[in-house]
Amino acid sequence: MGVRADWLANSGVAVALRETPWAIPAIQCVHIAAIALLISSSVLAQMRIAGWMAVDQPLDQIASWVQPRLRLCIAVLLATGLLMILSEPNRTLGNPAFWAKMGAVISAFGLTEIQVRFAHSGGAFPGWGRPAAFVVLMLWIVAIACGRWIAYLY
């Protein structure tokens, strides 16, 4: 990881990001705002899937509201995350908390996407709906915790 991370750290974009005093804090703010919208949208869907709230609302209606927000947030998170990695590749690419976070985010987003597509099909969730909702909620907690640990495991 060292040679590639050093090459990235010394690239023009990485140097410019580090030398611009407001760049990294601004990118982090956008990243955190996207995380908040992503997780709140996913939690809304999970709570409905589990039958813990809004049970009078059609599931496909909630899925139609949630899905574009999830996709937009993932796009913003990818862009801002790549910029943050580029600015400090040694801090992230060799960090086990970073990789645990990525695994949790990909798993939670993927499972939520499956749930949303299932909701659009119009069927009622089978027996796996509530346990899957719980798993997604736990994955988001893991992603948040690992995101914070990145700073402390460097």
Side-chain angles (χ1 to χ4, degrees), residues 39-60:
I39 292 174
S40 62
S41 298
S42 181
V43 166
L44 173 69
Q46 301 314 317
M47 298 293 276
R48 171 55 184 89
I49 289 166
W52 296 330
M53 68 171 257
V55 292
D56 58 327
Q57 298 295 315
L59 191 53
D60 63 328

Side-chain angles (χ1 to χ4, degrees), residues 62-127:
I62 291 179
S64 294
W65 185 87
V66 166
Q67 192 171 35
R69 284 159 182 78
L70 294 176
R71 290 180 177 171
L72 172 66
C73 288
I74 285 293
V76 170
L77 289 170
L78 281 171
T80 57
L82 287 172
L83 288 172
M84 288 190 299
I85 290 168
L86 187 59
S87 70
E88 295 182 300
N90 288 312
R91 179 180 184 177
T92 52
L93 296 177
N95 193 321
F98 169 77
W99 293 108
K101 175 187 172 184
M102 291 300 98
V105 167
I106 290 167
S107 299
F109 178 75
L111 187 51
T112 301
E113 188 68 23
I114 290 167
Q115 292 170 317
V116 165
R117 287 181 186 190
F118 188 84
H120 283 305
S121 72
F125 268 89

